[in-house]
Amino acid sequence: MLKPLFKSLIPACLILLILPVSSLAFPKFDYLTKGGVSLEQGDMRIGRIQLNPGLAFSSAYESNIFDSADQDFANGTVEEPTDDFIFTVKPSMGISLDRAAGEIFGFYAKYSGRDENFLHEGDTQDFFNHLIDAGINLGGPGGRGDLTIGGSWRKEAGGSDRDINSNIGNRQATTTSTGFAELLYSLSKILKLQLKAEVEDQKFQGVVSQNIDEYNFGGSIFWQATTPAAFGIKYNHKLRRYQIPSPANDDSDSDQVFLAMRWEPTSLISGEVAVGVDMKRFDTFTGEDSEDLVYQVDVNYTPVKRTRVSLKASREILDSTFGTIQSLILSNITMSLAQNLGKKFTLLVELSHDNLDYRRSSIDFANGGAVRTRVDNTVAGSTALVYEIQKWLDAKARYQYEKNLSNFDDNDYLNHIGVIEIAAKY
């Protein structure tokens, strides 16, 4: 039904282009209780319940939709990039009741859709992505405690996991269900506690061997030693259980412990640094067990109101989908700039580098069966210009460059992405 409309819009859409940024994120531990929110008059409300409907349309060009290597290999296989135009409609609806100071109940629910339509690949890649988030927020007496119970359901094609994208396919369809509970509590004016439990079920369409359940239990405790500095300990216990364990997918347990510092020396700069160890144990392949250094860095600098500079870096141990290698080390650094240009325009710039170290030797079948340890390096950069037509209406234009260099040549790729998007949101 939509394809004739999209084809008639192609000439106009080619002028407008933008692709949303997909950036690697690492867990952030919040340790200050929320203590309620101010109740300012919103744009769309039923009593105190706030409504946030939205609708966006984007037109994108992607030079390599499958992240293919443009090469001929020793085993006789050939890979060539496939480019295409993608037209996307994004409906959304949010409803929430913010908990004011002294109140004990609030809630939120949000739906986001993303109907992706490919010009040439058509039915083989068209996909309607869905995301539902919902939860309730409960406050304790005196504003010292804050409990949030919620969950999400997501069905999507593609994602930001570079390991899965390179080994299973970057348009892999998944269905993910998550439930969580988070408690924030002020033990005193200078001692803050966080406890969190989360359960996640992830199913892969067509790759049942990757279906997995994950359980996370942990928390943090922070001591506000001085006005600008707080020190704390973070801990997380993770269990991963594959529905079909195999030599390529082994169940694992891990414990992550961090020493952390949060520092806000002035109103211009703030940062959090955490350094720790990840102790990972596998049920069957105990030779894959490891204890590795991990860290998280998040620094923000705002010299003036119109300028914001951010630096994020992390090192984490992830489960691998590559051959029979059970885990990999992912190191990431990302720098970003948000610069207001007058009252209506905002410039966004981001640069990032990912290093994926698989640590164990494997056979490179594409290049004659050589045995080597796979290492991938991905360099990405993007720039975007956002124009605020009205407070509820934005237009965005964006370009993204992404290149992966791997010593397993069939994982090399180069991708150019351009997008235009117009979005209305109340």
Side-chain angles (χ1 to χ4, degrees):
M1 295 290 293
L2 291 175
K3 287 183 179 177
L5 174 61
F6 286 136
K7 289 182 179 179
S8 66
L9 290 175
I10 292 172
C13 296
L14 295 182
I15 306 172
L16 287 176
L17 299 172
I18 290 192
L19 193 93
V21 180
S22 174
S23 60
L24 178 70
F26 54 87
K28 181 175 176 60
F29 292 74
D30 296 319
Y31 59 92
L32 296 176
T33 55
K34 299 172 185 175
V37 296
S38 61
L39 297 175
E40 298 180 359
Q41 187 65 28
D43 293 328
M44 190 175 294
R45 291 179 182 265
I46 300 176
R48 279 185 45 201
I49 297 176
Q50 185 168 343
L51 306 176
N52 298 107
L55 181 65
F57 175 79
S58 72
S59 168
Y61 170 77
E62 191 166 343
S63 68
N64 191 353
I65 61 175
F66 301 117
D67 289 346
S68 303
D70 189 8
Q71 296 186 46
D72 299 344
F73 300 105
N75 64 356
T77 60
V78 178
E79 286 190 13
E80 295 180 352
T82 301
D83 67 336
D84 209 343
F85 292 91
I86 310 164
F87 305 99
T88 307
V89 179
K90 305 176 186 178
S92 63
M93 181 65 190
I95 180 171
S96 62
L97 173 64
D98 293 331
R99 183 175 62 81
E103 294 184 339
I104 63 171
F105 179 77
F107 71 87
Y108 67 92
K110 182 179 180 181
Y111 167 78
S112 299
R114 196 170 77 251
D115 184 13
E116 298 176 319
N117 293 265
F118 286 72
L119 178 62
H120 299 298
E121 296 303 308
D123 294 338
T124 64
Q125 297 301 323
D126 290 354
F127 201 87
F128 202 127
N129 303 266
H130 302 275
L131 171 62
I132 300 173
D133 281 303
I136 60 172
N137 180 234
L138 305 174
R144 296 181 62 184
D146 185 288
L147 175 64
T148 302
I149 302 173
S152 65
W153 181 83
R154 179 191 300 268
K155 185 174 183 179
E156 65 177 350
S160 60
D161 190 318
R162 298 195 187 283
D163 175 72
I164 290 175
N165 291 350
S166 64
N167 299 318
I168 299 178
N170 70 330
R171 292 290 300 170
Q172 178 63 46
T174 58
T175 301
T176 306
S177 303
T178 304
F180 74 92
E182 180 185 34
L183 173 66
L184 304 172
Y185 191 76
S186 299
L187 298 172
S188 68
K189 290 183 178 181
I190 61 172
L191 204 59
K192 314 295 180 182
L193 174 69
Q194 178 213 38
L195 298 174
K196 188 170 184 178
E198 182 178 82
V199 179
E200 179 180 284
D201 172 78
Q202 187 174 34
K203 289 182 170 61
F204 289 77
Q205 181 177 308
V207 194
V208 179
S209 61
Q210 291 296 328
N211 292 353
I212 190 170
D213 294 320
E214 185 171 293
Y215 307 87
N216 284 277
F217 307 95
S220 63
I221 186 167
F222 272 80
W223 168 50
Q224 195 74 40
T226 64
T227 300
F231 302 92
I233 298 174
K234 305 177 182 182
Y235 169 75
N236 185 64
H237 180 65
K238 178 187 295 185
L239 299 89
R240 290 175 62 90
R241 298 292 181 262
Y242 285 92
Q243 295 179 15
I244 306 177
S246 70
N249 300 312
D250 192 13
D251 293 345
S252 67
D253 296 355
S254 64
D255 293 280
Q256 299 166 323
V257 182
F258 293 87
L259 296 177
M261 180 183 74
R262 184 165 180 166
W263 190 44
E264 298 184 21
T266 71
S267 60
L268 305 181
I269 189 168
S270 63
E272 183 170 335
V273 178
V275 179
V277 62
D278 188 331
M279 297 162 283
K280 186 178 288 287
R281 303 169 300 281
F282 291 91
D283 286 3
T284 304
F285 300 101
T286 56
E288 297 271 355
D289 293 354
S290 62
E291 294 185 6
D292 291 282
L293 172 73
V294 288
Y295 58 78
Q296 303 166 347
V297 177
D298 188 354
V299 179
N300 297 289
Y301 175 56
T302 311
V304 292
K305 285 186 177 181
R306 64 178 182 272
T307 304
R308 181 181 177 87
V309 181
S310 299
L311 170 66
K312 293 186 178 182
S314 65
R315 187 179 195 265
E316 53 186 327
I317 315 303
L318 303 180
D319 284 63
S320 166
T321 61
F322 179 56
T324 57
I325 296 173
Q326 301 300 324
S327 65
L328 64 103
I329 299 176
L330 171 61
S331 302
N332 164 265
I333 183 168
T334 301
M335 295 188 65
S336 58
L337 166 70
Q339 176 69 52
N340 290 342
L341 305 174
K343 294 183 179 180
K344 292 289 187 177
F345 287 94
T346 302
L347 174 67
L348 305 174
V349 179
E350 183 173 280
L351 300 172
S352 67
H353 175 257
D354 289 350
N355 175 270
L356 283 72
D357 183 355
Y358 286 84
R359 304 191 297 171
R360 302 282 191 273
S361 296
S362 183
I363 300 174
D364 185 356
F365 292 101
N367 282 316
V371 177
R372 54 171 63 94
T373 301
R374 178 180 162 187
V375 178
D376 288 11
N377 286 283
T378 308
V379 178
S382 67
T383 182
L385 189 64
V386 183
Y387 175 54
E388 185 184 276
I389 302 170
Q390 299 290 340
K391 287 187 176 180
W392 53 271
L393 184 65
D394 286 343
K396 303 177 185 178
R398 188 164 191 275
Y399 166 75
Q400 179 172 326
Y401 169 91
E402 187 172 337
K403 185 175 181 62
N404 186 61
L405 296 171
S406 174
N407 59 348
F408 279 62
D409 292 343
D410 55 338
N411 290 294
D412 290 347
Y413 67 85
L414 173 64
N415 200 1
H416 300 275
I417 302 168
V419 187
I420 293 193
E421 181 176 281
I422 185 164
K425 187 172 183 180
Y426 292 88

